[in-house]
Amino acid sequence: MTVACLVLLGPSAPVGALLGRELPDDAAEEVVPNRVMTWNICNPCEVSNVDRAADIATYAPQVIGLQEACVRDVEQIRAYLRSLYGLAYHVEYGTVLRKRSRCGGTPWNPGAFGQAILSAAPMTDRVSVEYPDGGSEDRGYMAVTTVVGGHPVRVFNTHLAHRRQQPVRAHQTGVLAAAVERHDRAIVLGDFNAVPDASELSPLWALAAGSDAECRPSPAAACEPTTDWNSRFDYVFLRGVGSVEQHVHPTTYSDHHLLHTDVVPARDA
């Protein structure tokens, strides 16, 4: 079994990872069919993919949107989720650049970097779009159609320009909102690098509600932070979908927290 796992996870997998990390007593026992998660997993960061997998397995969402995702890391996370926790996910990628300083690799074959979506259900109609202006680094969004809570839904995953590049983000959200508007039922996940009342998020707030009823585009809103520097940068926007529960989970394996939301069709919310 050990040999088989080493073959599956690759030569870079630490031997200790084969044992996994024990999950808390209240961890989900199987995939939660109406749960979605967004997480900027931080690359390059010297953290273990087996620990990232354990954090995801604790909440076992139906759909997970990852940002700053290196393909090699995502493949290891998927392998750990399946081999250690019995959670099987499909994957689609929204690669925006190949960069050795982000994802390792060799000068002639650097690692792929961008977004990824994991889904317990199959995904169709993937698109991957680079924003015309990424700012200081290429950025983009990806979208797939999959099933959440028993209903087909269009799922978007994005990572906007760095926080000091507001004009660039404003153009990016315009591009993203135009794509979201074409769908009656959509879930938009991502790291938006902007606080809730930032003007560049207005196009999305006009189309979709946030998953947290207490977090609104107002300076007085009660928004739980999702970063180590106490800012709310990560969101789940819902169009034609309602939210019944949201949680933010700090983690030592990224500078962003895990954010997951349990959703229902809007008529049931």
Side-chain angles (χ1 to χ4, degrees), residues 6-119:
L6 283 171
V7 171
L8 176 65
L9 300 173
S12 63
V15 173
L18 299 176
L19 301 177
R21 194 177 84 207
E22 186 175 353
L23 302 184
D25 291 340
D26 60 350
E29 295 183 358
E30 57 186 11
V31 168
V32 181
N34 67 324
R35 181 169 293 171
V36 297
M37 173 187 286
T38 183
W39 190 18
N40 181 321
I41 59 175
C42 184
N43 272 307
C45 290
E46 297 298 323
V47 299
S48 165
N49 285 323
V50 73
D51 288 315
R52 286 168 165 165
D55 273 0
I56 292 171
T58 298
Y59 310 107
Q62 173 81 357
V63 170
I64 307 143
L66 301 177
Q67 304 89 43
E68 294 196 21
C70 296
V71 169
R72 182 182 183 186
D73 287 328
V74 175
E75 288 304 314
Q76 287 192 352
I77 290 168
R78 284 181 69 220
Y80 288 134
L81 285 168
R82 186 176 189 116
S83 63
L84 300 177
Y85 304 109
L87 301 173
Y89 287 98
H90 305 268
V91 65
E92 293 287 356
Y93 293 100
T95 295
V96 293
L97 75 156
R98 295 182 179 274
K99 195 170 185 180
R100 190 182 182 195
S101 62
R102 279 289 198 178
C103 296
T106 62
W108 56 91
N109 187 29
F113 174 87
Q115 287 73 246
I117 295 177
L118 304 182
S119 175

Side-chain angles (χ1 to χ4, degrees), residues 189-231:
L189 311 170
D191 172 7
F192 291 80
N193 273 316
V195 295
D197 62 331
S199 61
E200 61 266 34
L201 295 187
S202 297
L204 288 169
W205 286 116
L207 290 174
S211 58
D212 183 355
E214 301 299 320
C215 185
R216 298 298 184 203
S218 165
C223 295
E224 192 172 358
T226 60
T227 67
D228 285 354
W229 51 95
N230 294 318
S231 293

